[in-house]
Amino acid sequence: MSDQLGVPDQQVAGKSQGGAGAVYKVSLFEFENFRGKKVELSAECKDLIEKNLEKVGSIIVESCPWVAFEQKGFLGEQFVLEKGEYPRWTTWTNSQKSYCLLSIRPLKVDSADHKLYLFENSSFAGRKMEIVDDDIPSLWVHGFQDRVASAKAVNGTWVGYMYPGYRGRQFVFEHGDYKHWNDWGATEPQLQSIRRRAVKKARKQK
């Protein structure tokens, strides 16, 4: 079993991700509705506490997508953040099992094309499902059971979910090989829906 890693087989960088000329910027606030202490970032941060931000209550993504994590060092539950405003926790997560956000990094986007292979067993063994330029709200509908133990992201960036309809914990699949579910930050091989990285902005809340 591999160690839990947020990003396998690839380098994590700041502004160099997301294609030539991509500039990342995000603002994190201590309290809801963009109040309290504010921290602005343009590159990854493995520990927000080192930035004197012990809690995050709201977020504004000003440019390019980001992925935030429950724990330091890009570990734990993941939260995909598109460009837009997130005035409270419920606007960036639907699992609500944790209220911690301690690290954040730019989300790598290497291609407009999308191709992904899912495998029933670890090390790319067992039943295989190929997904090309499509979103899958339920893997069951396509004859692939909820057990997904390894994956290969050939093109594009994907977001997987524990439950059908893009619900539950989120898991990011950037370009690379994921030989074991620990490689994408999961604690069990359960994946029931998956879609290409969303391009819509977050809905603004009053």
Side-chain angles (χ1 to χ4, degrees):
M1 183 179 296
S2 62
D3 293 332
Q4 289 193 9
L5 298 174
V7 188
D9 303 333
Q10 57 203 22
Q11 295 295 320
V12 175
K15 296 183 181 181
S16 63
Q17 292 183 318
V23 177
Y24 288 85
K25 186 175 181 181
V26 64
S27 297
L28 308 174
F29 298 83
E30 183 180 10
F31 303 123
E32 290 186 356
N33 297 313
F34 320 116
R35 296 177 297 110
K37 190 179 299 181
K38 177 183 178 182
V39 171
E40 293 184 349
L41 298 172
S42 58
E44 67 175 38
C45 180
K46 294 182 178 180
D47 185 0
L48 289 171
I49 294 178
E50 293 183 352
K51 300 287 186 180
N52 296 317
L53 190 65
E54 296 185 0
K55 62 179 291 187
V56 177
S58 52
I59 302 170
I60 297 178
V61 178
E62 300 187 39
S63 59
C64 297
W66 294 72
V67 56
F69 297 81
E70 173 191 9
Q71 300 173 19
K72 302 175 185 177
F74 315 124
L75 297 174
E77 189 166 354
Q78 303 170 30
F79 314 105
V80 177
L81 303 168
E82 300 290 339
K83 183 179 178 181
E85 296 183 355
Y86 301 80
R88 59 188 62 83
W89 267 90
T90 53
T91 57
W92 69 74
T93 178
N94 57 16
S95 69
Q96 300 180 40
K97 291 185 178 180
S98 172
Y99 289 90
C100 291
L101 195 163
L102 294 178
S103 56
I104 189 170
R105 64 172 177 80
L107 181 59
K108 182 180 178 182
V109 181
D110 72 330
S111 172
D113 298 322
H114 288 77
K115 186 175 183 178
L116 177 73
Y117 294 112
L118 302 178
F119 299 86
E120 183 180 17
N121 299 322
S122 59
S123 299
F124 318 120
R127 295 188 61 191
K128 176 183 175 182
M129 180 178 180
E130 180 182 20
I131 308 173
V132 179
D133 291 328
D134 199 9
D135 298 336
I136 309 297
S138 175
L139 294 176
W140 283 82
V141 173
H142 292 261
F144 202 86
Q145 306 304 315
D146 60 328
R147 179 182 170 85
V148 177
S150 56
K152 289 188 177 185
V154 181
N155 295 110
T157 300
W158 302 77
V159 183
Y161 300 81
M162 284 191 69
Y163 305 118
Y166 316 120
R167 297 178 298 108
R169 289 189 62 168
Q170 304 174 39
F171 305 105
V172 171
F173 294 86
E174 293 165 316
H175 180 266
D177 292 343
Y178 301 78
K179 296 181 180 180
H180 192 278
W181 61 86
N182 286 160
D183 290 339
W184 62 77
T187 56
E188 56 184 313
Q190 182 176 341
L191 197 71
Q192 295 188 3
S193 57
I194 194 160
R195 62 181 170 185
R196 296 159 292 178
R197 183 187 68 82
V199 296
K200 293 185 295 184
K201 295 181 180 180
R203 291 178 299 175
K204 292 185 179 182
Q205 303 286 332
K206 293 182 179 180

